Amino acid sequence: NAGVTQTPKFRVLKTGQSMTLLCAQDMNHEYMYWYRQDPGMGLRLIHYSVGEGTTAKGEVPDGYNVSRLKKQNFLLGLESAAPSQTSVYFCASRGGGNEQFFGPGTRLTVL
Amino acid sequence: DQQVKQNSPSLSVQEGRISILNCDYTNSMFDYFLWYKKYPAEGPTFLISISSIKDKNEDGRFTVFLNKSAKHLSLHIVPSQPGDSAVYFCAVTGTGTYKYIFGTGTRLKVLA
């Protein structure tokens, strides 16, 4: 099992450009999450999903959109990137237990 | 306002000694608590957890203690090893919510 994978690993964008981050899990987990990690701020929840076709806002959702068309995939979109969105993005999934399984992260820089 | 605080950004410990990492939370509705470990350029990995019905949970060298009245949990690592050097995050959640709140992390350095 690959667990949780994220694509791409690194990306540099210019202000105003758009992009989509892909998260995939092969553990048949219902719940999926997108976090961002910034220095001194820990992990902050952007959006999450409790099942295929459902999404909900987390702590810092502004400027991001998500979709969960397939159970195994959770996409995070930036429609018009801003320098404040420079961060490391982590996807996580959770099954029946309480622990989350994290992907390796995507390092995004917005110039 | 931070609901989960890890007040020590960093901690250095000699190999073989005990490492104690602390976490404070504000909301008594939280009833499940987790610790994650993160190495550079990797995602966090689950380490150990505890529910509010317990005050202690052990897994090998790792023990988590929960003091509900003080809204405080701690992670003890005994004995500490150089491979334990990482950033440790505490996380909390509550029954009926799907969300987790993470602390800001403590960077542990175990000196050989």
Side-chain angles (χ1 to χ4, degrees):
Chain A
N1 287 353
V4 179
T5 58
Q6 292 183 232
T7 309
K9 288 186 169 48
F10 304 94
R11 186 73 186 267
V12 178
L13 289 178
K14 293 181 180 177
T15 297
Q17 287 185 317
S18 63
M19 79 163 293
T20 300
L21 284 68
L22 170 64
C23 176
Q25 52 96 3
D26 60 3
M27 296 173 281
N28 201 35
H29 285 170
E30 287 293 334
Y31 310 107
M32 295 188 75
Y33 304 80
W34 275 108
Y35 292 91
R36 60 178 288 173
Q37 185 195 8
D38 302 292
M41 305 279 295
L43 289 138
R44 292 184 293 167
L45 181 64
I46 305 171
H47 285 280
Y48 65 101
S49 168
V50 300
E52 182 179 315
T54 72
T55 63
K57 293 181 180 179
E59 185 185 355
V60 288
D62 294 342
Y64 305 95
N65 57 74
V66 288
S67 65
R68 183 106 181 263
L69 299 179
K70 292 183 178 180
K71 186 177 184 178
Q72 63 267 34
N73 295 337
F74 195 27
L75 278 64
L76 178 71
L78 287 74
E79 289 185 348
S80 179
S84 60
Q85 294 177 303
T86 293
S87 188
V88 181
Y89 291 85
F90 290 103
C91 174
S93 71
R94 179 171 74 91
N98 280 297
E99 65 264 29
Q100 295 173 308
F101 295 81
F102 284 84
T106 295
R107 185 173 294 275
L108 175 66
T109 301
V110 183
L111 302 175
Chain B
D1 187 29
Q2 281 185 301
Q3 297 188 65
V4 181
K5 292 183 181 179
Q6 293 179 255
N7 290 320
S8 299
S10 64
L11 175 69
S12 291
V13 171
Q14 284 295 130
E15 181 179 7
R17 305 296 291 267
I18 184 171
S19 296
I20 300 176
L21 294 90
N22 295 303
C23 179
D24 296 294
Y25 60 97
T26 57
N27 191 334
S28 58
M29 296 299 289
F30 296 138
D31 59 8
Y32 203 86
F33 309 89
L34 308 96
W35 285 95
Y36 287 83
K37 177 179 180 178
K38 185 185 179 305
Y39 292 119
E42 295 184 10
T45 55
F46 170 72
L47 190 58
I48 192 169
S49 62
I50 188 167
S51 75
S52 60
I53 62 172
K54 295 185 175 181
D55 55 19
K56 176 182 174 182
N57 188 28
E58 276 183 89
D59 185 1
R61 296 185 297 114
F62 303 91
T63 303
V64 56
F65 295 92
L66 176 63
N67 182 334
K68 290 187 289 293
S69 60
K71 298 189 184 67
H72 177 84
L73 67 154
S74 61
L75 174 68
H76 292 209
I77 307 173
V78 182
S80 301
Q81 298 174 354
D84 296 329
S85 296
V87 177
Y88 290 79
F89 292 98
C90 63
V92 304
T93 189
T95 301
T97 178
Y98 303 105
K99 296 192 278 189
Y100 294 72
I101 302 174
F102 283 77
T104 51
T106 296
R107 183 177 301 276
L108 173 67
K109 187 170 184 179
V110 180
L111 307 169

